Amino acid sequence: MLQRLIAAVLGVLGLAAIVLGIASATAWRADDTLTATATAAAGTTLLTTAPGVLEMGDPPVSVRATADDGTKVVLAVGRDTDVDGWVGTDAHTVVTGLQDWHTFTTDDVASTAPAPEVAEGEAAPAEEAAPDGEAAPATPAPDPDGSDLWVEQASGEGSAELVWEPQQGRWTLLVATAGEGAGPPTVELSWPRTVTTPWLVPGVVGGVVLLLLALLLAVRASRGPRAEQWQAVTTGATPVVAADGAGDAADPGASRTRRERREAAAAAAAAAAAARQAARTPRPWTPRTGETAVVDPRPHAGGATAMDPHAGVTPDVPPAGSDADAPTGPTAEVAGTTPAAARPVAATDASASGTAADRRDGAAPAPGPASPADVPATDPDAAASTGDGAHDPDSGADAFDGDPGAGTVTGLDGETGETGDTGLTPAPAAGGSRADAWRRAWGFPGAGSPPREPEPRADGRTDGEDH
Amino acid sequence: MRTAQRTRLGRVALALTAGLALTGCAAELPQPQAQAPLAVPPPATTLEQSDRILTAIGDVLASGDAALSTVELSARVSGPALTSRAAEYAVAAATAGAQPVTPLPVQPQTLVVPNATPWPRTQLVVTEQPEDLTSPRLLVLQQQSPREPYTLWGWARLLPGAEMPAIAAPTAGAEVLAPDAAGLVATPADVVAQYADVLLSGDGSAFAASFANPDPYRERIATGRTTSEGIAQGTGTFTETYAAVPDQLVALRTADGGAIVVGGMTTTSTFTLSDASLTATPEIAAVSGGAIPAGAVLRNTLVLGYTDVVVFYVPPAGANAPIEVLGAEHTYTSASGS
């Protein structure tokens, strides 16, 4: 239920993300031009831009100015110092920036003229627009048209336009209405804008991901219970085990994860328990383990452990001999190179077995689980020294470990060396040893079965497999 | 455990989506970002502007020259230039072209543009050689105030052998020097005043050593004076005085730390007649502004006024070099007498 709920929420979120992402690139997409306007304060005829305003957007900036009643409008671009110089002390309006996307912020500058005759008319300009506007007619508004100061200019009756391509330096715009009765001009600046849609891809991709996630959850939620039943069926693993020898070894082993291995081991244990109880067939609900168990055998000793239980049931099953052989070959070779690994195994075995007698058995079983281990153990015995053969391998192993155990051991070591090594490779032996211990504890014959010792390598391996 | 993880995942997704929705549409308003003012002020005019100004001046001169009328000149010609041009028109008209006006080409060869400073602003233009193959002119353009146009304030012929000192590139702008600017072998104002003394006293002047010698302009003035003195010999006396015009001074820094100084001067030539008479020539009558009718016989005095523009190169202080006269113009612009 919860999963379905989460799936639904995720799905909605995903859809929302996609919709928002697309909307950000369509419905909410910003304009291709940035256009804003400003009007000079009432009573003034001059409007300028602060340095940098002309460069607020991508170049070039298009300027359009209009005036009421078709009076003359002049647009001029000049250095900021020139524009300021031309404006001088006259009252004017300065465009300082953007208030919002379509409106400029402006700054009204009152006339700072000393006090000539005009002063009276313009003295009270800022606040009282009307008087100014009427006072202005007395003296025609100044006309910047044609001044040498401008690098770009345009003029017209009622409106004027120009396009300014920014240059190095500080350039500002002067907008003026000229002539008698000129009113405040209105200017509109527009820049082309490269509109980006930064949210489109993240929105859509994220949304899709969320949707997929939701879908996945939904599917799992609806299939959950079925899956369990399914597993139950699979439990039929047993047959696999039989086949394991060849078939299993071929493929599955590799893909195991540690966890799976662990589970496999657990499964094996469970299986063993089952075996113990008798030859009961596995129950349908043991699914998981069943499956895993199948895989386990090949990769490592664990597999062997898993098999052990079965072995208990069918001790001779080991015909796996072939299996054993296969691994042995390589292991034997490797052994020589990595003796260290071997010891631990041997050690564990030894510890597990405890007494010498045990060892006898233990030694055999120890190797047993790890097919390779067995081989060495047996081999040394057979080849090098008789009688204590079983001990020898162990001791040999110990000696390698660094415990210069008994003199005899040492002697043996030299000989054992190779064999001992061979046994080592299969680290997993641990599982095997555990199984052996178990077996021993319960007096199962599997491990200690005599045939191994007498028989040369082949036997040994067989034994190992038995375990 | 799994469900817990998923729930967390769901929350994160929710937060992300919400954030996206809220920030998606809020782009920042662009702010004006002005370039910082240059450490070195830019030139007052761009090359295009200078060309435009020169063209405008050339047009005005052309129409004025064609009509021999100063009516249109005042828009683009001022100061000594206007005075001189007006006199030239009068003379040219009076002599029916026998004494033509000075050709003033406006195609620039070299521009000396000042950096952007308060007004008045002045720039110098060395023109191409005129069609009559006389020496190139140095034009002095001046803008008195922001709302006034640049006008031709004065011109001078470059003297033979004169070399214009290196000046700042037109893209940088030359530093404008005050009349009393230090750092030169003499302040701009002093240079003109001292030169007036040198013209008057010749090698006898205390400042003669400060100026380069030979000096073609000085020689010409001396020659003219000698000639006039010769004419006056026996019939009267001839005196000539030279003076700097205080408010007609322009100084721009050169690349080597010196300066180009353009100064307005006046030359006053006075014939004092004793027991003799002079008949006013058409030229004199023309420049007199009607005070002396053509053909009038003068029995007492004749005073001719000249408007001069002299261009100096003033080395930086410490430089062991003389002040050079690069160019000059000497035009008689007034006459009075009786």
Side-chain angles (χ1 to χ4, degrees):
Chain A
M1 248 331 258
L2 184 57
Q3 280 195 341
R4 288 185 188 176
L5 188 63
I6 294 175
V9 170
L10 283 183
V12 170
L13 287 180
L15 275 180
I18 291 175
V19 168
L20 289 177
I22 291 177
S24 77
T26 53
W28 298 337
R29 189 172 190 271
D31 294 338
D32 283 333
T33 57
L34 167 56
T35 303
T37 60
T39 300
T44 63
T45 60
L46 304 177
L47 180 145
T48 64
T49 61
V53 168
L54 288 178
E55 295 86 17
M56 272 197 304
D58 292 341
V61 56
S62 301
V63 184
R64 177 181 161 79
T66 54
D68 298 335
D69 309 331
T71 50
K72 183 180 182 182
V73 185
V74 180
L75 289 175
V77 177
R79 288 191 191 280
D80 58 339
T81 51
D82 289 354
V83 170
D84 290 348
W86 192 91
V87 169
T89 58
D90 283 4
H92 62 286
T93 300
V94 182
V95 172
T96 54
L98 281 174
Q99 189 172 48
D100 57 45
W101 285 103
H102 299 292
T103 314
F104 285 117
T105 52
T106 56
D107 184 12
D108 296 342
V109 179
S111 170
T112 54
E117 318 119 310
V118 195
E120 298 168 6
E122 293 190 357
E127 295 87 347
E128 303 167 337
D132 283 350
E134 290 170 18
T139 54
D143 185 357
D145 193 6
S147 168
D148 292 333
L149 297 174
W150 318 137
V151 293
E152 195 79 52
Q153 80 155 51
S155 62
E157 301 299 323
S159 73
E161 296 177 41
L162 70 72
V163 175
W164 170 247
E165 192 75 45
Q167 300 177 9
Q168 179 70 28
R170 290 157 64 91
W171 303 94
T172 58
L173 171 74
L174 170 68
V175 184
T177 48
E180 295 186 4
T186 296
V187 69
E188 175 189 282
L189 303 185
S190 65
W191 297 265
R193 214 153 45 120
T194 46
V195 180
T196 57
T197 54
W199 295 107
L200 177 59
V201 173
V204 171
V205 170
V208 168
V209 168
L210 285 180
L211 273 186
L212 287 180
L213 244 155
L215 206 66
L216 200 72
L217 274 183
V219 170
R220 277 191 79 161
S222 64
R223 216 166 62 172
R226 238 199 279 154
E228 286 177 11
Q229 293 174 357
W230 216 58
Q231 287 184 353
V233 179
T234 324
T235 326
T238 349
V240 185
V241 182
D244 67 301
D248 292 354
D251 28 61
S255 60
R256 291 291 137 180
T257 65
R258 202 179 284 173
R259 179 180 175 182
E260 284 171 325
R261 268 183 242 145
R262 216 185 309 128
E263 287 177 347
R276 231 187 291 146
Q277 293 180 353
R280 279 192 211 168
T281 49
R283 292 185 185 179
W285 51 265
T286 25
R288 280 188 191 169
T289 42
E291 290 181 8
T292 23
V294 180
V295 195
D296 295 352
R298 302 134 214 162
H300 46 64
T305 339
M307 308 202 44
D308 289 349
H310 299 295
V313 186
T314 50
D316 287 356
V317 180
S322 56
D323 289 353
D325 289 352
T328 328
T331 31
E333 295 171 5
V334 188
T337 42
T338 56
R343 274 118 233 174
V345 182
T348 15
D349 290 352
S351 56
S353 50
T355 58
D358 286 346
R359 277 193 181 182
R360 242 271 139 264
D361 295 351
S371 28
D374 285 355
V375 186
T378 34
D379 288 354
D381 291 353
S385 58
T386 56
D388 288 347
H391 287 279
D392 296 349
D394 290 352
S395 55
D398 290 351
F400 279 60
D401 289 347
D403 310 344
T408 47
V409 181
T410 352
L412 292 178
D413 293 347
E415 298 172 353
T416 337
E418 303 171 354
T419 45
D421 296 348
T422 12
L424 329 173
T425 3
S433 60
R434 219 186 295 143
D436 289 351
W438 175 85
R439 238 178 279 130
R440 263 176 263 132
W442 288 87
F444 275 76
S449 61
R452 311 153 200 160
E453 293 177 5
E455 293 178 15
R457 291 190 176 181
D459 289 355
R461 286 157 199 173
T462 333
D463 290 352
E465 293 199 20
D466 285 354
H467 302 286
Chain B
M1 235 191 48
R2 280 186 182 177
T3 40
Q5 279 180 345
R6 295 235 166 87
T7 326
R8 213 178 305 145
L9 185 72
R11 281 184 196 143
V12 171
L14 181 64
L16 281 179
T17 314
L20 182 149
L22 290 178
T23 60
C25 25
E28 280 188 18
L29 280 176
Q31 295 296 319
Q33 292 181 336
Q35 294 183 18
L38 299 174
V40 177
T45 59
T46 62
L47 289 177
E48 292 75 17
Q49 281 177 293
S50 292
D51 279 343
R52 207 172 61 205
I53 293 165
L54 283 170
T55 303
I57 290 174
D59 290 348
V60 168
L61 282 175
S63 60
D65 291 355
L68 294 181
S69 159
T70 61
V71 173
E72 292 181 34
L73 280 191
S74 53
R76 285 290 186 176
V77 184
S78 64
L82 183 57
T83 308
S84 299
R85 210 58 174 176
E88 288 190 339
Y89 285 166
V91 171
T95 61
Q99 286 199 23
V101 296
T102 308
L104 290 178
V106 292
Q107 290 72 38
Q109 192 181 66
T110 305
L111 285 173
V112 184
V113 181
N115 51 33
T117 51
W119 287 263
R121 289 174 171 177
T122 306
Q123 57 182 283
L124 308 181
V125 180
V126 176
T127 70
E128 300 285 355
Q129 197 171 41
E131 288 173 7
D132 63 0
L133 298 185
T134 54
S135 51
R137 310 290 194 259
L138 184 141
L139 308 182
V140 181
L141 310 184
Q142 199 164 61
Q143 185 183 33
Q144 285 296 331
S145 72
R147 294 191 186 182
E148 289 180 61
Y150 274 92
T151 56
L152 176 65
W153 177 86
W155 77 83
R157 290 166 223 254
L158 288 187
L159 297 176
E163 268 187 36
M164 282 292 287
I167 37 84
T171 51
E175 182 187 350
V176 179
L177 299 178
D180 59 352
L184 304 171
V185 295
T187 66
D190 286 347
V191 167
V192 185
Q194 289 172 9
Y195 191 63
D197 187 67
V198 171
L199 286 180
L200 181 65
S201 310
D203 290 340
S205 166
F207 307 108
S210 303
F211 290 85
N213 202 0
D215 172 355
Y217 181 64
R218 190 176 127 197
E219 288 169 5
R220 178 183 151 199
I221 293 292
T223 305
R225 185 170 58 203
T226 307
T227 307
S228 297
E229 283 170 350
I231 293 173
Q233 193 74 40
T235 60
T237 59
F238 175 83
T239 58
E240 197 166 70
T241 59
Y242 314 90
V245 181
D247 61 347
Q248 294 182 353
L249 187 68
V250 172
L252 294 173
R253 180 81 76 186
T254 56
D256 63 358
I260 292 179
V261 174
V262 181
M265 299 178 72
T266 55
T267 300
T268 308
S269 302
T270 307
F271 289 93
T272 305
L273 304 172
S274 57
D275 195 21
S277 65
L278 274 175
T279 304
T281 62
E283 296 94 316
I284 292 174
V287 299
S288 71
I292 305 174
V297 176
L298 303 176
R299 301 186 180 280
N300 299 315
T301 60
L302 171 64
V303 180
L304 292 178
Y306 294 81
T307 297
D308 304 330
V309 173
V310 186
V311 184
F312 304 91
Y313 163 66
V314 184
N320 192 17
I323 299 169
E324 288 179 54
V325 175
L326 301 175
E329 190 70 19
H330 182 66
T331 313
Y332 62 90
T333 52
S334 69
S336 61
S338 57

